[in-house]
Every structure is written in C-alpha cells, then in structure tokens.
Amino acid sequence: MGVVRRAAPVAGPAPGALDTEVGLRRAYTAYGAELYRFALRQLGDEGAAQEVVQEVFLRAWRRADTYDPEIASLRSWLFSIARNAVVDEARRVAARPWRRTLTDAPQDSPTAPVTEGLDRAVVDTWVVEEALRRIRPEHRDAIAQTHLRGRPHAEVAAELGIPIGTLRSRIFYGLKALRLAMDEMGVER
C-alpha cells in the first residue's frame, strides 16, 4: 500500500509564503485592486481605502502562520481580514469625526461613507459558500434546500426519499457543522 499525497493547490499565489516579500507581492498583485474597490465602496474615501488595503496585507504578513489553505482560500481569508479592517476604520472615523472634516470634502458628496451594504453581503456570501463546501454533502443539501431556497421540509424530504425527521436531523447537525467550519475559518460572530 502506497502513501496517498494531496495535490498542491494550483491557482493563486503561493499561500504559504505570505511571510516573504515575494509571497506578499504575489498576493497583493492578485487581490490588492479588488480589496481596494471593496474598501472604497464601504468607506467612500480613497485615502481610507488605501490604508485599509495596507492594513490587510500588514495583518496577513503578521498572521501568515495562521493561514491554512485547507480551511479557506487565500481570497476568502484576505477578505475576512478586509472586512474587519473596514469595520475598524469606520469605528475610528466614528470616534473622531472631526478628523475627517480636516481633509475630506463635505459629507454631502456622492462618495459619502457607506458602512453597511451590498459589499458586506457579498463577502458574507463568499464566507458561507466556503464553509458550506467543508461540511458533508447531505448536510449541505438539506441546508441549501430548506434555508437558502426556502423550500418546505416535507417537500424536500419527499424529494430525497427520506423521513422528515431525518431531514430535520441533517439540518440540525449541518448547521452545527457549518458554525464549526466558520469558527475554523476565523469568522467572528
């Protein structure tokens, strides 16, 4: 019997090398612009968005040893960091709003900050999709059919050919597994 080896991930920058300048440059080249657009849409301030991107890669560099490609893709991991950095920046601005008026245009500009919105929902969706990939297929299907598609339990159970109690059990244990997967990915409640 031979040893089974896992194939290395093919796409994206070398995730394990985030603690090196080359690895960080690759990650920045791959995701920097996308992270900047995300931060800009959330904050409505180009300077703050640039600071957030810089903070994301600083945090990624500092925590490079905590990144595990088996738990989340590099993109998901960086966007989780970005979401936290955007929240931190929004809180910083809210705590000292007078600082922003020293250098920024008036608040009635079309680029006024938006701290909640579509972009946060998009990142949350990516995180949930990543977590769903990590749970058992029967749990994932039960959750997707009932919670995400809003189908009645009886209808889904009949379609799958299982008792309704079994479906409910799959949903219950699937949600527990989903929460555990999200905890492992570093998602904060």
Side-chain angles (χ1 to χ4, degrees), residues 28-38 53:
Y28 180 82
T29 300
Y31 305 111
E34 194 175 2
L35 289 165
Y36 171 76
R37 287 189 302 272
F38 167 73
V53 172

Side-chain angles (χ1 to χ4, degrees), residues 73-97:
S73 68
L74 180 59
R75 183 173 188 258
S76 294
W77 189 65
L78 290 173
F79 268 92
S80 293
I81 295 171
R83 181 181 55 195
N84 292 336
V86 164
V87 169
D88 293 345
E89 178 64 18
R91 286 179 181 156
R92 185 188 67 77
V93 169
R96 294 179 184 87

